[in-house]
Amino acid sequence: MAVSMRDLDPAFQGAGQKAGIEIWRIENFRPVPVPKSSYGKFFTGDSYVILKTTALKSGALRHDIHYWLGKDTSQDEAGAAAVKTVELDAALGGRAVQYREVQGHETEKFLSYFKPCIIPQEGGVASGFKHVQEEEHKIRMFVCRGKHVVHVKEVPFARSSLNHDDIFILDTKSKIFQFNGSNSSIQERAKALEVVQYIKDTYHDGKCEVAAIEDGKLMADAETGEFWGFFGGFAPLPRKTASDEDRTVQSHTAKLLSVEKGQAKPVDADSLTRELLDTNKCYILDCGLEVFVWMGRNTSLDERKTASGAAEELIRGSDRPKSQIIRVIEGFETVVFKSKFESWPQTTNVAVTEDGRSKVAALLRRQGLNVKGLAKAAPAKEEPQPYIDCTGNLQVWRVNGQEKVLLPASDQSKFYSGDCYIFQYSYPGEDKEEYLIGTWIGKQSVEDERVSAVSSATKMVESMKFQATQACIHEGNEPIQFFSIFQSFIVFKGGLSDGYKNYIAEKEIPEGTYTEDGLALFRVQGSGPDNMQAIQVEAVASSLNSSYCYILHSGSTVFTWAGNLTSPDDHELVERQLDIIKPNLQSKPQKEGSESEQFWELLGGKSEYPSQKTAREPEGDPHLFSCTFSKGNLKVTEIYNFTQDDLMTEDIFILDCHSDIFVWVGQQVDTKNKLQALTIGQKFLEHDFLLEKLSREAPIYIVMEGSEPPFFTRFFSWDSAKSSMHGNSFQRKLTIVKTGGTSTVDKPKRRTPVSYGGRSSSVPDRSQRSRSMSFSPERVRVRGRSPAFNALAAAFENPNARNLSTPPPVVKKLYPKSVTPDSAKKSAAIAALTASFEKQPPPARETIIPRSVKVSPPTPKTTPTPEPNSKENSMSSKLESLTIQEDAKEGEAEDEEGLPIYPYERLKITSTDPVSEIDVTKRETYLSSEEFKEKFGMKKDAFYKLPKWKQNKLKMALQLF
């Protein structure tokens, strides 16, 4: 489309260069900018052009243009607004979607720009209208309709305007009344309260009373009597009569018309297909309520104006004032438009260039105007952040048939592609302990175990009264939160579960499960020690990639391979992973282009391989949908320009971020629907409502109201007090409108959560982290321990066990460098450890795994004070010997109280040799001080200072309650 200077109205020059809203009013058939202070104020006698510019994550700017027609605007001014909208689109490069908005029948997208509502005022600039001047307050009444956005219309102040189906607002001088029709929904009532707040702030300076009147309560209270007093007393309401306003436009089979010389002519076709649309023409697609104008890329500005006029004439001729006209440009069609066709190709061969935009930019540049916004902005490059506290406690189970097997801490980050896993992670939230329970589905796992994994995880969430976030994650689509929790993550080929073994036996598939002595190739990836992965790939040369580092081993032979596009940080990661996969063996470094013959022989010879890093699915611009799920059918409604207030406690919503989706479940959703949340998420991925090529294996998070994780709330301006309020949506908002505050559930305050993981300046120093970040196989990885405990463990590590090529471990020692004797090291470490236990006892959490809980049970201890100088080889024994004297004193004191001491194995509720004649509610008191500290990770006095509910959770985890 050619662009000339005459096509550009001076008022539009420089428009759409930055995100936000711009508004023009049509005056004498020309657009005149509206001051920002008047945005949202519309007059019934005027026409307006509204431009919404949105900055996308890709760096591009998206434009939506609306022209709003007041009920009293002249036909000429309405026509001028329609034409100027086409001109504005041309000035922006011909890519905007254009909407016709008629007063009282606006689209939800348009109303979302001016939340909570618009209330047009009488008056205008055209045809003798005068803007109404402010005068003494007069009583007005409005009807409110809408569950997500509110259509507000002023109605006569009379009893006859009221009905049982709608919500009405009576605005008097000293009080605002909201009358809730008995047939209205809770969500509609809650949204109407936002209009009440708007009226209170706009017309009463926030200084007036608010009252809610329930239809059918008669004279139940003083406020109800006061309300009916304005109507001369109570009387039964008449039935709602159907008016022209209430008539719905029936949608009919879409009819395609071709616009030629200003005339719309039907297109003969058995079905609607993309091939019917010619890039050199304009078309009208009449769907009843929606009338689309499709404009080919090669059409002129005059042809587009003519097609728009033909659509206006079509609506006027068939008396359809409610019909919405939506104009789309070839190559930038909306999802709704595409859905009207039986077939629409995923990609079209449309020459979409910057030609129109660059020409406009050149014209504006000659006039000395800033044209920065007309060029596509470069996408902001930022490393993804996990937005989760990574210092919590982790448990992992491998699914084996219908059962789950708890993994020891040393194996909980080692997964097999043929298996499914369940993980439970607890971490400190803003004011309580937060939980993330998820499933990891291996690519080679069998269907039965996939179902079993999801079922088990769902039951775990249900057992916690739905106060945990649930995640469903597929191999290869892991989100940053998952990797940050596991930190060092390895995926082996094959599987260990019975389901996988039976499957390959039945199908006679060769056994390919990883073995330490076999041939294996691992691709190493990640952003740092807190986020690194080793993925086993086929041991062939074509699996290599110049952008990655690799580990190749066969028996005792170990190679590391660094691609030419890798960085020193990548090389450090491969050495750290080597410590886990092949400890105690010296590797043979290989650089791309100078490999040894032995290296290629292990890979079966040279072959071509890629050089570019595989791009992960980027996070898209978020979209929020409300959901209705019934009889297996999912219906969604998009909520534009969403905020936290759009999340209603009675409903289920989906936040679509393209790379992953969140299913938000309100507190007042019934249990049956809560249990269907994952199914709803899967259905959403299956339908791909926005036609954005969603992966069916994208991560799904089930988020419960009141337990929203930070990686969900970051998409909102979040107020946690709102999600913790009592009552339904209407009751909550009524509290806010009346008092300006929130009535929340009382919760004990916790410590402020630490900064989130990730490689940024906000990440705490490693010495401040409470989780061990060790990578040596000899280094015990203990979760939930204090930094002093982890440093103590590092102090007794055998330095000779590390791979000689590995960088020094990232652990700060607690003793000065100048002090070298072992006694000094031990004394400083013990002092730090003692201070840590006494001053900052670790919180008791349901998910703590005591370090003594391993696959093979420990030997029961029958005496409270073993030899303090015992010299065992394990590091744990060395740690125990350092603190045993202190524990012995505590044990003796308890012995003086006359309490017998029993081993843990006999005190468990599942013991095969249980102890009799004890207080079964206080089993832990019969443990020796040493074993108590070993199991609970703290001394008894610290344990009994914890809240009762935390004590019980920890005892349940240890099978002592």
Side-chain angles (χ1 to χ4, degrees):
M1 179 183 69
V3 181
S4 65
M5 202 61 208
R6 67 182 178 83
D7 296 328
L8 296 174
D9 195 292
F12 292 147
Q13 292 180 356
Q17 295 188 33
K18 60 182 180 180
I21 294 178
E22 297 169 82
I23 303 178
W24 298 264
R25 180 172 57 219
I26 301 300
E27 298 181 12
N28 296 321
F29 311 112
R30 309 291 298 182
V32 176
V34 173
K36 288 189 176 181
S37 59
S38 296
Y39 282 10
K41 184 184 293 185
F42 296 90
F43 291 91
T44 61
D46 291 335
S47 297
Y48 297 81
V49 175
I50 299 94
L51 169 64
K52 177 68 165 69
T53 303
T54 305
L56 304 179
K57 283 186 176 292
S58 64
L61 295 176
R62 185 188 69 211
H63 297 106
D64 293 286
I65 308 175
H66 306 254
Y67 61 103
W68 185 87
L69 310 177
K71 65 182 179 65
D72 299 320
T73 192
S74 68
Q75 187 171 327
D76 289 342
E77 282 201 345
V83 169
K84 291 300 177 184
T85 298
V86 178
E87 292 181 8
L88 177 57
D89 171 55
L92 295 171
R95 300 183 177 190
V97 179
Q98 306 158 42
Y99 303 83
R100 175 181 182 264
E101 309 285 355
V102 178
Q103 180 182 341
H105 308 292
E106 295 89 350
T107 62
E108 291 197 356
K109 174 174 274 193
F110 176 79
L111 291 176
S112 73
Y113 304 153
F114 308 102
K115 287 182 177 179
C117 65
I118 60 171
I119 302 179
Q121 302 177 38
E122 294 293 328
V125 297
S127 307
F129 276 97
K130 299 287 184 181
H131 289 160
V132 177
Q133 299 298 317
E134 292 187 9
E135 54 187 30
E136 185 179 351
H137 190 281
K138 69 173 184 177
I139 296 178
R140 297 186 299 171
M141 193 159 75
F142 304 91
V143 61
C144 300
R145 298 184 179 115
K147 181 178 176 180
H148 304 300
V149 294
V150 188
H151 288 83
V152 180
K153 178 187 176 185
E154 187 170 357
V155 295
F157 169 39
R159 185 198 311 277
S160 59
S161 296
L162 300 173
N163 62 61
H164 299 295
D165 298 324
D166 296 319
I167 297 164
F168 297 83
I169 295 174
L170 181 65
D171 179 20
T172 71
K173 186 174 183 180
S174 60
K175 186 177 287 189
I176 303 174
F177 297 87
Q178 176 171 315
F179 175 83
N180 299 321
S182 57
N183 297 331
S184 62
S185 69
I186 291 174
Q187 295 92 326
E188 290 173 317
R189 298 176 186 187
K191 275 296 173 186
L193 278 172
E194 295 179 10
V195 179
V196 170
Q197 183 71 58
Y198 170 80
I199 294 173
K200 177 181 177 180
D201 294 339
T202 305
Y203 300 104
H204 298 269
D205 295 325
K207 301 173 183 176
C208 73
E209 295 182 43
V210 173
I213 310 301
E214 297 299 324
D215 182 15
K217 277 196 174 180
L218 303 180
M219 309 295 284
D221 53 57
E223 288 182 333
T224 301
E226 185 181 357
F227 172 79
W228 287 112
F230 284 100
F231 299 93
F234 175 79
L237 295 182
R239 284 188 176 182
K240 183 177 179 180
T241 56
S243 63
D244 290 341
E245 293 290 322
D246 298 318
R247 267 189 337 195
T248 58
V249 178
Q250 297 296 324
S251 295
H252 53 67
T253 304
K255 300 175 183 176
L256 185 65
L257 302 98
S258 174
V259 180
E260 299 175 11
K261 298 180 180 179
Q263 299 296 316
K265 300 179 180 179
V267 174
D268 244 352
D270 296 330
S271 61
L272 290 178
T273 61
R274 170 65 180 83
E275 289 70 25
L276 294 174
L277 304 177
D278 185 348
T279 188
N280 299 302
K281 293 182 179 181
C282 293
Y283 296 83
I284 294 174
L285 184 64
D286 184 5
C287 303
L289 180 61
E290 299 161 318
V291 176
F292 294 91
V293 179
W294 184 88
M295 297 172 279
R297 295 294 298 178
N298 293 337
T299 56
S300 67
L301 185 60
D302 287 339
E303 287 174 320
R304 296 181 183 186
K305 290 179 180 179
T306 300
S308 299
E312 297 269 1
E313 188 62 37
L314 176 67
I315 287 178
R316 280 196 297 270
S318 53
D319 190 23
R320 292 185 290 172
K322 279 189 175 183
S323 290
Q324 300 166 347
I325 295 178
I326 303 169
R327 303 193 291 239
V328 297
I329 308 296
E330 180 183 8
F332 299 91
E333 298 86 352
T334 65
V335 172
V336 176
F337 178 82
K338 293 178 183 178
S339 68
K340 305 296 182 182
F341 289 75
E342 290 188 13
S343 63
W344 191 279
Q346 289 285 358
T347 56
T348 53
N349 297 321
V350 180
V352 180
T353 68
E354 295 285 334
D355 184 59
R357 182 169 293 199
S358 60
K359 288 183 179 180
V360 174
L363 291 171
L364 298 181
R365 197 178 291 112
R366 289 181 202 144
Q367 297 187 3
L369 295 173
N370 182 8
V371 294
K372 179 181 177 182
L374 292 179
K376 181 177 179 179
K381 292 184 178 180
E382 54 181 24
E383 190 172 326
Q385 299 295 317
Y387 295 96
I388 190 172
D389 188 319
C390 298
T391 63
N393 296 286
L394 178 66
Q395 280 181 288
V396 182
W397 294 264
R398 183 177 64 248
V399 175
N400 191 34
Q402 298 301 312
E403 300 177 348
K404 59 181 197 265
V405 180
L406 180 65
L407 299 183
S410 58
D411 291 338
Q412 61 186 11
S413 293
K414 300 175 181 178
F415 285 18
Y416 286 80
S417 186
D419 295 336
C420 295
Y421 296 82
I422 300 171
F423 63 91
Q424 177 173 303
Y425 181 66
S426 67
Y427 59 98
E430 182 179 345
D431 55 9
K432 65 176 182 178
E433 199 74 7
E434 301 290 356
Y435 295 91
L436 175 62
I437 296 175
T439 52
W440 184 89
I441 310 296
K443 288 181 178 178
Q444 298 173 296
S445 60
V446 297
E447 182 63 26
D448 288 347
E449 291 187 339
R450 294 185 178 196
V451 173
S452 177
V454 171
S455 176
S456 296
T458 302
K459 288 177 182 177
M460 291 169 67
V461 172
E462 186 179 7
S463 69
M464 299 179 68
K465 298 182 178 179
F466 297 99
Q467 292 183 359
T469 297
Q470 184 176 351
C472 183
I473 296 168
H474 289 260
E475 179 187 351
N477 289 275
E478 297 89 350
I480 182 65
Q481 291 82 16
F482 179 86
F483 284 147
S484 298
I485 289 170
F486 283 84
Q487 300 178 353
S488 175
F489 186 68
I490 303 175
V491 179
F492 297 111
K493 283 187 171 294
L496 303 178
S497 69
D498 292 340
Y500 174 78
K501 292 177 180 177
N502 293 337
Y503 174 78
I504 62 173
E506 291 174 5
K507 300 293 183 179
E508 297 182 351
I509 299 173
E511 175 63 66
T513 300
Y514 170 80
T515 58
E516 291 185 3
D517 297 330
L519 175 65
L521 178 67
F522 293 88
R523 182 181 71 244
V524 178
Q525 59 193 38
S527 60
D530 290 351
N531 171 20
M532 61 180 187
Q533 304 88 46
I535 313 298
Q536 187 179 357
V537 295
E538 291 294 330
V540 292
S542 58
S543 296
L544 299 175
N545 187 309
S546 301
S547 296
Y548 292 98
C549 292
Y550 291 79
I551 296 172
L552 174 65
H553 75 70
S554 178
S556 60
T557 302
V558 182
F559 289 97
T560 59
W561 185 86
N564 287 334
L565 301 180
T566 57
S567 67
D569 289 341
D570 297 325
H571 304 162
E572 179 180 343
L573 292 186
V574 79
E575 296 296 343
R576 292 184 179 278
Q577 289 287 23
L578 192 61
D579 261 356
I580 302 172
I581 296 173
K582 276 293 180 181
N584 306 324
L585 289 178
Q586 184 67 46
S587 65
K588 300 177 182 179
Q590 305 284 301
K591 289 187 177 180
E592 183 177 9
S594 58
E595 299 89 348
S596 66
E597 288 297 326
Q598 185 184 9
F599 176 82
W600 291 121
E601 286 175 5
L602 289 177
L603 293 179
K606 295 182 180 181
S607 70
E608 292 185 0
Y609 53 83
S611 60
Q612 296 301 314
K613 185 172 290 189
T614 304
R616 294 187 65 84
E617 195 68 37
E619 182 177 85
D621 298 283
H623 297 265
L624 185 67
F625 299 84
S626 67
C627 303
T628 303
F629 187 64
S630 177
K631 298 180 180 178
N633 296 318
L634 176 64
K635 294 182 179 180
V636 299
T637 302
E638 184 168 4
I639 299 173
Y640 302 99
N641 298 292
F642 59 84
T643 66
Q644 182 184 354
D645 289 334
D646 291 311
L647 300 174
M648 298 287 189
T649 187
E650 298 80 15
D651 294 329
I652 295 177
F653 294 82
I654 288 180
L655 182 65
D656 174 14
C657 303
H658 185 70
S659 58
D660 44 24
I661 67 169
F662 298 84
V663 182
W664 184 90
V665 183
Q667 290 179 359
Q668 300 206 9
V669 172
D670 61 59
T671 302
K672 179 183 177 182
N673 286 329
K674 284 180 179 178
L675 293 173
Q676 291 180 322
L678 183 58
T679 302
I680 290 174
Q682 292 168 337
K683 287 283 186 182
F684 184 87
L685 293 177
E686 178 183 332
H687 286 291
D688 192 12
F689 290 96
L690 293 181
L691 305 180
E692 52 183 334
K693 300 180 183 178
L694 285 177
S695 168
R696 293 199 181 186
E697 295 186 349
I700 301 174
Y701 292 101
I702 311 300
V703 177
M704 299 297 171
E705 182 183 13
S707 300
E708 292 89 351
F711 51 89
F712 171 81
T713 59
R714 71 188 180 95
F715 295 102
F716 303 79
S717 295
W718 195 261
D719 181 356
S720 58
K722 289 183 178 179
S723 63
S724 302
M725 291 182 71
H726 295 289
N728 60 37
S729 298
F730 171 71
Q731 293 165 339
R732 296 180 186 188
K733 290 196 176 179
L734 183 61
T735 299
I736 295 174
V737 171
K738 281 190 170 186
T739 66
T742 58
S743 175
T744 59
V745 178
D746 294 331
K747 298 179 181 177
K749 287 292 179 183
R750 289 185 50 87
R751 69 175 175 88
T752 303
V754 301
S755 300
Y756 303 127
R759 315 309 301 164
S760 71
S761 58
S762 63
V763 178
D765 184 80
R766 188 149 328 235
S767 63
Q768 299 172 345
R769 302 285 293 264
S770 66
R771 287 174 61 189
S772 170
M773 302 301 297
S774 58
F775 298 93
S776 171
E778 290 295 312
R779 207 174 297 160
V780 176
R781 189 178 187 198
V782 184
R783 294 181 177 270
R785 298 294 192 180
S786 67
F789 190 101
N790 292 330
L792 180 61
F796 292 98
E797 173 193 354
N798 179 5
N800 298 322
R802 284 187 60 253
N803 187 339
L804 299 179
S805 62
T806 306
V810 190
V811 177
K812 292 190 176 181
K813 297 184 178 180
L814 298 177
Y815 51 87
K817 292 182 180 179
S818 59
V819 181
T820 55
D822 288 346
S823 59
K825 291 197 284 184
K826 293 181 180 179
S827 299
I830 293 171
L833 178 61
T834 304
S836 172
F837 281 131
E838 289 179 350
K839 295 179 180 179
Q840 296 180 353
R845 298 173 184 146
E846 183 178 356
T847 55
I848 289 179
I849 311 174
R851 57 188 172 87
S852 63
V853 179
K854 300 179 181 178
V855 174
S856 57
T859 303
K861 295 182 174 64
T862 57
T863 59
T865 55
E867 285 294 325
N869 295 322
S870 174
K871 295 182 179 179
E872 299 180 16
N873 292 327
S874 70
M875 184 187 65
S876 296
S877 298
K878 293 178 182 178
L879 295 176
E880 291 168 4
S881 67
L882 291 173
T883 57
I884 198 66
Q885 293 178 353
E886 183 181 351
D887 292 340
K889 293 179 182 178
E890 186 182 34
E892 290 168 5
E894 291 178 353
D895 286 343
E896 291 175 1
E897 297 175 4
L899 289 177
I901 300 298
Y902 297 103
Y904 169 72
E905 295 300 324
R906 294 192 64 194
L907 291 171
K908 289 193 305 181
I909 58 176
T910 57
S911 175
T912 56
D913 182 22
V915 179
S916 58
E917 298 180 357
I918 62 170
D919 185 348
V920 294
T921 65
K922 297 182 178 180
R923 295 175 183 268
E924 75 284 356
T925 60
Y926 299 95
L927 288 170
S928 69
S929 298
E930 178 198 10
E931 195 162 18
F932 187 98
K933 190 171 183 178
E934 181 182 326
K935 298 298 181 186
F936 286 89
M938 66 188 75
K939 295 188 294 185
K940 288 186 178 181
D941 59 346
F943 173 77
Y944 289 116
K945 288 178 183 178
L946 297 173
K948 194 68 176 176
W949 65 272
K950 286 193 175 183
Q951 294 180 24
N952 291 339
K953 280 191 174 182
L954 190 53
K955 290 188 328 187
M956 288 175 65
L958 292 171
Q959 299 181 354
L960 293 173
F961 185 72

